[in-house]
Amino acid sequence: MASNNRSVVFEGVKDFRVQDLDFPKLEMPNGNKAPHGVILKMVATNICGSDLHIYRGSFPFKQGAVLGHEMTGEVIEVGSDVEFLSEGDLVSVPFNVACGRCRNCRAGRTEVCETANPDVACAAYGFNLGDFTGGQAEYLFVPYADFQLLRFPDKDQAMDKILDLAVLSDILPTAFHGLMEAGAKPGSTVYIAGAGPVGRCGAAAARLLGASCIIVGDYDQDRLNLVANNGCETIDLGKDVPLTDQIEAILGEPGVDCAVDYVGSEAHGIGAQSDELLPAAAINQVLDATRAGGATGVIGVYGPDPIAPTEAEQEGIFPLEFGKAWIKSPHVTAGQAPIMRYNRELMMAILWDRMPYLNAMLNPKVITLDEVPNAYEVFNEGSAEKYIIDPHGMLAS
């Protein structure tokens, strides 16, 4: 058993470092013993767009805390109360920490577990949401393991598809959730705001659902090319043309059945405003792009943001164009995704080759722990790659 745990640690805004920390214990952040937990050896642990909020200073974070909430690992230590997992199992870790016992968990609302975080009904690894240590590390403690962890049925089969399965912990189910909340189904027309990794997962998920015209909007041509090469229409938001006009040029009408905001409050405007930070731009764009009677999913993160341009937005108050949208009888759902609602079905879709375009859209790049600080710098500038960390060289081999 290892005695330490090399981890990606937050030392300040745009200052992430790899440090040696103590090996994790089977105990909760408050120090209580956790016989319901396991220790995982990280096989793949990703950099997420949400981690960039911490990197840039939009999300407050504790100095010395470990980053990361997208994890796939091998069970190496099992708590005495764990019944259905064994050493050697390969598992995906939902980024929501959920007890499985509270009212919300029992209703399948694991994104708003009432007990894992004593401060608010929401807990996650690698955020200020319950002080659960992040997974950009060699090893990780996971509580409530029998309830939370998704075990891959065949370890060798899973390792053959590990770069796709690595996104089951967050961005693929998150992307799928946005589409579900927007009512996507076979034949639906879909607009996806943002061609970052989660938006590209949304494009892949829309194809899995049988959507007809899938339109993706972004400013980065390399990202747009990834989805265009895999059956999607694209909109360059840098062009000074209203979004609905660009949708109409593609679809023949100015609105889609389903629109999903995968950007959140770090959005920019369209055309002449494309260099301007406008935190409500993406949500207003998807409300505008949704046809009357359609539905909208808001998956991008909105919250108090200390680096937002206005005092109201710094407090989490955003200028929504709701008066214009109201007449269309909008259906809008927002918030984090309950990963466990979708991850098993999406796992099966990957294992049985029903998402062959996912890898091409993701454009994964495997990196070592030591390469992580530089990868954050590159990703912050708008990289078209999805960074997957290989702490033990298990992917490289």
Side-chain angles (χ1 to χ4, degrees), residues 330-351:
H331 175 102
V332 183
T333 303
Q336 293 184 9
I339 299 303
M340 293 177 63
R341 187 181 300 174
Y342 312 105
N343 62 354
R344 186 185 185 279
E345 288 76 10
L346 290 168
M347 173 191 74
M348 296 301 289
I350 291 169
L351 292 176

Tab-separated table of all heavy atoms in Angstrom, residues 330-351:
chain	number	residue	atom	x	y	z
A	330	PRO	N	-42.455	28.972	-22.064
A	330	PRO	CA	-41.195	28.228	-21.962
A	330	PRO	C	-41.226	27.159	-20.876
A	330	PRO	O	-41.892	27.320	-19.845
A	330	PRO	CB	-40.174	29.315	-21.614
A	330	PRO	CG	-40.978	30.337	-20.864
A	330	PRO	CD	-42.324	30.350	-21.535
A	331	HIS	N	-40.521	26.095	-21.140
A	331	HIS	CA	-40.241	25.075	-20.123
A	331	HIS	C	-38.734	25.107	-19.917
A	331	HIS	O	-37.973	24.772	-20.828
A	331	HIS	CB	-40.693	23.697	-20.614
A	331	HIS	CG	-40.345	22.581	-19.690
A	331	HIS	ND1	-41.263	22.001	-18.839
A	331	HIS	CD2	-39.175	21.931	-19.467
A	331	HIS	CE1	-40.674	21.045	-18.144
A	331	HIS	NE2	-39.405	20.978	-18.504
A	332	VAL	N	-38.298	25.537	-18.743
A	332	VAL	CA	-36.879	25.720	-18.473
A	332	VAL	C	-36.496	24.926	-17.227
A	332	VAL	O	-37.141	25.061	-16.178
A	332	VAL	CB	-36.525	27.210	-18.254
A	332	VAL	CG1	-35.024	27.378	-18.048
A	332	VAL	CG2	-36.993	28.064	-19.425
A	333	THR	N	-35.470	24.095	-17.341
A	333	THR	CA	-34.947	23.362	-16.196
A	333	THR	C	-33.463	23.648	-16.065
A	333	THR	O	-32.740	23.651	-17.068
A	333	THR	CB	-35.159	21.846	-16.355
A	333	THR	OG1	-36.548	21.587	-16.548
A	333	THR	CG2	-34.677	21.097	-15.126
A	334	ALA	N	-33.002	23.877	-14.834
A	334	ALA	CA	-31.604	24.235	-14.622
A	334	ALA	C	-31.043	23.461	-13.438
A	334	ALA	O	-31.785	22.898	-12.631
A	334	ALA	CB	-31.475	25.742	-14.375
A	335	GLY	N	-29.728	23.441	-13.347
A	335	GLY	CA	-29.065	22.841	-12.198
A	335	GLY	C	-28.137	21.708	-12.579
A	335	GLY	O	-27.988	21.357	-13.753
A	336	GLN	N	-27.493	21.139	-11.559
A	336	GLN	CA	-26.591	20.022	-11.781
A	336	GLN	C	-27.370	18.775	-12.191
A	336	GLN	O	-28.568	18.645	-11.936
A	336	GLN	CB	-25.792	19.728	-10.504
A	336	GLN	CG	-24.822	20.817	-10.108
A	336	GLN	CD	-24.005	20.428	-8.891
A	336	GLN	OE1	-24.037	19.301	-8.432
A	336	GLN	NE2	-23.254	21.382	-8.371
A	337	ALA	N	-26.657	17.857	-12.807
A	337	ALA	CA	-27.278	16.610	-13.253
A	337	ALA	C	-27.199	15.549	-12.169
A	337	ALA	O	-26.178	15.412	-11.498
A	337	ALA	CB	-26.579	16.095	-14.505
A	338	PRO	N	-28.263	14.751	-11.995
A	338	PRO	CA	-28.191	13.563	-11.144
A	338	PRO	C	-27.520	12.439	-11.936
A	338	PRO	O	-28.177	11.697	-12.662
A	338	PRO	CB	-29.661	13.262	-10.843
A	338	PRO	CG	-30.403	13.799	-12.033
A	338	PRO	CD	-29.605	14.955	-12.556
A	339	ILE	N	-26.225	12.321	-11.801
A	339	ILE	CA	-25.430	11.440	-12.671
A	339	ILE	C	-25.935	9.996	-12.632
A	339	ILE	O	-25.995	9.315	-13.668
A	339	ILE	CB	-23.948	11.491	-12.258
A	339	ILE	CG1	-23.403	12.927	-12.409
A	339	ILE	CG2	-23.121	10.514	-13.094
A	339	ILE	CD1	-23.544	13.523	-13.787
A	340	MET	N	-26.338	9.530	-11.463
A	340	MET	CA	-26.738	8.133	-11.333
A	340	MET	C	-28.026	7.817	-12.088
A	340	MET	O	-28.330	6.643	-12.317
A	340	MET	CB	-26.888	7.763	-9.857
A	340	MET	CG	-25.574	7.771	-9.101
A	340	MET	SD	-25.796	7.413	-7.336
A	340	MET	CE	-26.436	5.749	-7.413
A	341	ARG	N	-28.781	8.832	-12.482
A	341	ARG	CA	-30.000	8.586	-13.247
A	341	ARG	C	-29.672	8.050	-14.645
A	341	ARG	O	-30.508	7.368	-15.260
A	341	ARG	CB	-30.818	9.872	-13.358
A	341	ARG	CG	-32.188	9.682	-14.006
A	341	ARG	CD	-32.931	10.996	-14.116
A	341	ARG	NE	-33.160	11.613	-12.810
A	341	ARG	CZ	-33.694	12.818	-12.644
A	341	ARG	NH1	-34.024	13.546	-13.702
A	341	ARG	NH2	-33.878	13.314	-11.427
A	342	TYR	N	-28.479	8.353	-15.138
A	342	TYR	CA	-28.161	8.062	-16.532
A	342	TYR	C	-26.920	7.209	-16.750
A	342	TYR	O	-26.726	6.668	-17.839
A	342	TYR	CB	-27.954	9.374	-17.310
A	342	TYR	CG	-29.015	10.415	-17.114
A	342	TYR	CD1	-28.777	11.540	-16.323
A	342	TYR	CD2	-30.259	10.294	-17.720
A	342	TYR	CE1	-29.746	12.517	-16.147
A	342	TYR	CE2	-31.232	11.265	-17.552
A	342	TYR	CZ	-30.980	12.377	-16.764
A	342	TYR	OH	-31.941	13.334	-16.594
A	343	ASN	N	-26.016	7.122	-15.759
A	343	ASN	CA	-24.683	6.620	-16.087
A	343	ASN	C	-24.668	5.155	-16.495
A	343	ASN	O	-23.868	4.765	-17.365
A	343	ASN	CB	-23.682	6.912	-14.962
A	343	ASN	CG	-24.018	6.260	-13.634
A	343	ASN	OD1	-25.078	5.650	-13.464
A	343	ASN	ND2	-23.117	6.409	-12.670
A	344	ARG	N	-25.523	4.329	-15.907
A	344	ARG	CA	-25.485	2.915	-16.289
A	344	ARG	C	-25.934	2.725	-17.746
A	344	ARG	O	-25.306	1.979	-18.514
A	344	ARG	CB	-26.360	2.056	-15.379
A	344	ARG	CG	-26.190	0.576	-15.707
A	344	ARG	CD	-27.108	-0.352	-14.933
A	344	ARG	NE	-26.782	-1.738	-15.236
A	344	ARG	CZ	-27.197	-2.381	-16.332
A	344	ARG	NH1	-27.957	-1.751	-17.223
A	344	ARG	NH2	-26.848	-3.641	-16.544
A	345	GLU	N	-27.023	3.375	-18.144
A	345	GLU	CA	-27.506	3.237	-19.511
A	345	GLU	C	-26.486	3.765	-20.520
A	345	GLU	O	-26.273	3.168	-21.592
A	345	GLU	CB	-28.847	3.955	-19.674
A	345	GLU	CG	-30.012	3.248	-18.996
A	345	GLU	CD	-30.035	3.409	-17.481
A	345	GLU	OE1	-29.253	4.235	-16.955
A	345	GLU	OE2	-30.824	2.709	-16.831
A	346	LEU	N	-25.850	4.884	-20.192
A	346	LEU	CA	-24.831	5.425	-21.088
A	346	LEU	C	-23.612	4.513	-21.138
A	346	LEU	O	-22.977	4.358	-22.194
A	346	LEU	CB	-24.449	6.833	-20.643
A	346	LEU	CG	-25.549	7.879	-20.866
A	346	LEU	CD1	-25.202	9.175	-20.141
A	346	LEU	CD2	-25.770	8.145	-22.347
A	347	MET	N	-23.250	3.895	-20.010
A	347	MET	CA	-22.186	2.893	-20.015
A	347	MET	C	-22.499	1.781	-21.002
A	347	MET	O	-21.641	1.379	-21.811
A	347	MET	CB	-22.006	2.311	-18.621
A	347	MET	CG	-21.027	1.135	-18.556
A	347	MET	SD	-21.051	0.256	-16.959
A	347	MET	CE	-22.606	-0.650	-17.094
A	348	MET	N	-23.707	1.259	-20.963
A	348	MET	CA	-24.083	0.175	-21.857
A	348	MET	C	-24.059	0.621	-23.315
A	348	MET	O	-23.658	-0.142	-24.208
A	348	MET	CB	-25.463	-0.367	-21.478
A	348	MET	CG	-25.527	-1.011	-20.094
A	348	MET	SD	-24.373	-2.403	-19.908
A	348	MET	CE	-25.169	-3.621	-20.966
A	349	ALA	N	-24.472	1.864	-23.577
A	349	ALA	CA	-24.418	2.379	-24.944
A	349	ALA	C	-22.979	2.422	-25.462
A	349	ALA	O	-22.709	2.109	-26.627
A	349	ALA	CB	-25.057	3.765	-25.009
A	350	ILE	N	-22.051	2.797	-24.589
A	350	ILE	CA	-20.635	2.831	-24.982
A	350	ILE	C	-20.103	1.415	-25.175
A	350	ILE	O	-19.456	1.105	-26.192
A	350	ILE	CB	-19.812	3.583	-23.921
A	350	ILE	CG1	-20.167	5.072	-23.935
A	350	ILE	CG2	-18.314	3.393	-24.166
A	350	ILE	CD1	-19.606	5.844	-22.759
A	351	LEU	N	-20.372	0.537	-24.226
A	351	LEU	CA	-19.827	-0.822	-24.303
A	351	LEU	C	-20.334	-1.582	-25.515
A	351	LEU	O	-19.631	-2.443	-26.068
A	351	LEU	CB	-20.176	-1.594	-23.027
A	351	LEU	CG	-19.487	-1.121	-21.738
A	351	LEU	CD1	-19.989	-1.915	-20.542
A	351	LEU	CD2	-17.975	-1.214	-21.851
